[in-house]
């Protein structure tokens, strides 16, 4: 499945994993890494809180929804 085939889901909040990488919590309850790892992944906005805040409400393709996965456990606390 390509990302274009996965349904778009709005970003509701952000949190970090144990390694310090940012995850987006999507409206469907799934989480997705939002790394900035140039040159492969270019998301400089994730490095600053204002960048993450600006991305709230925008969409990411959710492969977990396309696969019919259950929502991920809620992370606490969420971060902007």
């Amino acid at each position: 499945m390509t990302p274009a085939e996965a349904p778009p889901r709005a970003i509701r909040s952000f949190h970090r994993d144990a390694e310090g990488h940012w995850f987006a919590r999507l409206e469907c309850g799934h989480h997705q890494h939002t790394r900035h790892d140039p040159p492969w992944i270019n998301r400089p906005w994730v490095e600053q809180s204002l960048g993450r805040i600006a991305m709230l409400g925008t969409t990411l393709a959710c492969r977990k929804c396309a696969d019919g996965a259950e929502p991920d456990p809620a992370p606490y606390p969420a971060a902007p």
Side-chain angles (χ1 to χ4, degrees):
M1 169 178 305
T2 65
E5 296 173 26
R9 301 291 188 240
I11 298 172
R12 294 295 180 227
S13 65
F14 291 91
H15 65 279
R16 288 185 186 252
D17 65 10
E19 297 176 5
H21 298 286
W22 286 103
F23 273 82
R25 184 180 61 85
L26 304 178
E27 66 183 317
C28 56
H30 292 128
H31 307 159
Q32 188 175 122
H33 270 112
T34 52
R35 292 182 182 99
H36 175 53
D37 190 20
W40 299 281
I41 301 170
N42 192 18
R43 293 179 176 147
W45 53 265
V46 81
E47 299 292 317
Q48 303 292 325
S49 65
L50 289 178
R52 292 187 302 276
I53 289 168
M55 295 302 288
L56 295 175
T58 63
T59 60
L60 294 173
C62 185
R63 293 187 68 171
K64 291 180 182 179
C65 277
D67 293 340
E70 293 291 320
D72 294 316
Y76 294 104

